[in-house]
Amino acid sequence: MLALGKINRLTVKKQVKFGFYLDGLSWGEILLPNNVSPAGLEIGSELDVFLYLDSEDQLIATTERPKIKVGEVAQLDVVATTKVGAFVNWGLKKDLLVPFSEQQIPLKEGQKYLLYCYVDNSNRIVASTKLDRHLHKTPPSYNAGDKVSIMISEQTDIGYKAVVNHQHWGVLYKNEVFKPLRRGDKMQAYIVKVRDDGKIDIRLNASTFKQAQELTDRILYKLQQNDGKLALTDKSSPELIYAAFGVSKKAYKQAIGSLYKDKKIVIAEHGIILVPTT
């Protein structure tokens, strides 16, 4: 099935003076202009094209790749503000509209904004800064350790809010981030867990995730073997922590912090206590 605002594989149906017509199946013939047609293109050839509406709202194909596609999030520059909304540069000849109704705050020319791209009820490809309106609409189905792509949205009191795989919200906790991050930064990350409320915890480093998961399992095992109590807190000396687990104090603090957030332990003045399972 063809999709507006996405990459589609189509077959060349015929050649005309100004380009090629592609077989759009139930959508009819779709023009691929000469200036975006690859050399050596022939009738019967298949190629991947992006489908959008030109300045006259006619369906058109291009081999150019936009900076954002339908269902994606990207940080883009505002190139104009008009009576119908703001326009951003998405890498194609026709700029992308951000309607007034989809602006969290009035957009300013020359500024960058994080945007979600979608097809509206009028069958137009548009963008929105109201990410909460468009993200997290489907239940997250990630497993611990899954590799995902993320984009930083904003810094919060607990760390950084990030868009996961263009579809969900995730959180990077500040005690697990060891480099400056800015809005729009793109990188790989790893799922720590999907919480019961649908919120997603993520980490930047795979080895950090594996080490932390391994350490939390070891701490829980030792608690179970010691009547649910362990005389080591985040204030214990590095020497005592290393003697018990062979890890740094920093790693231990992160591990018990994770267990505390998951409500598996209570941190008391003189140690940690296992929370009984029901």
Side-chain angles (χ1 to χ4, degrees):
M1 178 180 289
L2 301 186
L4 186 64
K6 295 188 177 182
I7 304 297
N8 300 262
R9 176 160 284 258
L10 300 182
T11 303
V12 177
K13 190 172 183 181
K14 66 182 179 184
Q15 184 174 9
V16 293
K17 184 177 180 179
F18 43 84
F20 296 83
Y21 277 106
L22 309 180
D23 185 1
L25 304 175
S26 62
W27 291 14
E29 296 178 341
I30 302 172
L31 177 64
L32 177 70
N34 279 326
N35 65 331
V36 290
S37 299
L41 194 60
E42 299 177 346
I43 294 174
S45 297
E46 290 187 348
L47 73 166
D48 292 326
V49 293
F50 180 77
L51 299 181
Y52 70 112
L53 302 178
D54 65 14
S55 56
E56 297 179 357
D57 288 334
Q58 296 297 310
L59 185 62
I60 194 166
T62 180
T63 54
E64 296 177 315
R65 295 295 181 258
K67 299 175 182 177
I68 190 173
K69 299 188 288 293
V70 166
E72 294 183 350
V73 174
Q75 183 168 252
L76 301 176
D77 294 297
V78 175
V79 294
T81 54
T82 70
K83 294 180 180 179
V84 296
F87 285 89
V88 295
N89 175 16
W90 64 328
L92 300 180
K93 186 175 180 181
K94 179 188 177 185
D95 295 320
L96 180 63
L97 173 66
V98 185
F100 286 119
S101 61
E102 292 293 336
Q103 297 179 28
Q104 193 76 43
I105 57 172
L107 304 192
K108 296 181 180 179
E109 186 174 337
Q111 298 292 313
K112 293 178 179 288
Y113 297 90
L114 217 58
L115 300 160
Y116 179 83
C117 183
Y118 70 103
V119 177
D120 70 5
N121 293 331
S122 301
N123 209 38
R124 301 178 303 174
I125 303 173
V126 296
S128 173
T129 62
K130 296 182 177 181
L131 301 190
D132 285 334
R133 176 180 289 181
H134 301 283
L135 297 182
H136 236 83
K137 296 301 182 185
T138 58
S141 58
Y142 306 104
N143 296 312
D146 283 354
K147 187 177 182 179
V148 294
S149 63
I150 67 168
M151 179 174 290
I152 302 301
S153 171
E154 60 187 295
Q155 188 169 6
T156 68
D157 291 339
I158 61 173
Y160 292 88
K161 193 175 180 181
V163 178
V164 178
N165 283 353
H166 298 281
Q167 296 300 311
H168 298 101
W169 284 118
V171 176
L172 282 167
Y173 291 96
K174 60 184 178 183
N175 65 334
E176 296 169 353
V177 177
F178 308 108
K179 61 180 180 180
L181 299 176
R182 296 179 298 176
R183 175 189 288 259
D185 283 351
K186 295 184 288 185
M187 61 201 73
Q188 300 296 317
Y190 298 85
I191 300 295
V192 176
K193 71 175 299 182
V194 177
R195 298 182 173 277
D196 293 338
D197 59 4
K199 294 180 181 178
I200 304 170
D201 291 346
I202 50 182
R203 283 197 178 100
L204 295 181
N205 188 288
S207 60
T208 299
F209 166 76
K210 291 174 184 176
Q211 291 167 6
Q213 185 66 50
E214 196 175 277
L215 182 54
T216 55
D217 290 343
R218 288 168 58 202
I219 292 170
L220 287 173
Y221 178 77
K222 185 159 283 194
L223 281 164
Q224 291 163 358
Q225 298 299 308
N226 199 41
D227 296 326
K229 297 179 181 179
L230 192 59
L232 286 174
T233 70
D234 55 356
K235 296 181 176 59
S236 298
S237 71
E239 291 78 15
L240 286 174
I241 292 170
Y242 189 84
F245 293 101
V247 298
S248 68
K249 181 173 180 176
K250 181 178 181 180
Y252 181 75
K253 287 175 66 175
Q254 289 178 346
I256 66 172
S258 177
L259 289 170
Y260 177 76
K261 283 188 291 188
D262 291 342
K263 298 181 180 178
K264 292 182 178 180
I265 65 167
V266 173
I267 302 176
E269 185 177 354
H270 300 295
I272 59 175
I273 302 169
L274 184 66
V275 175
T277 57
T278 56

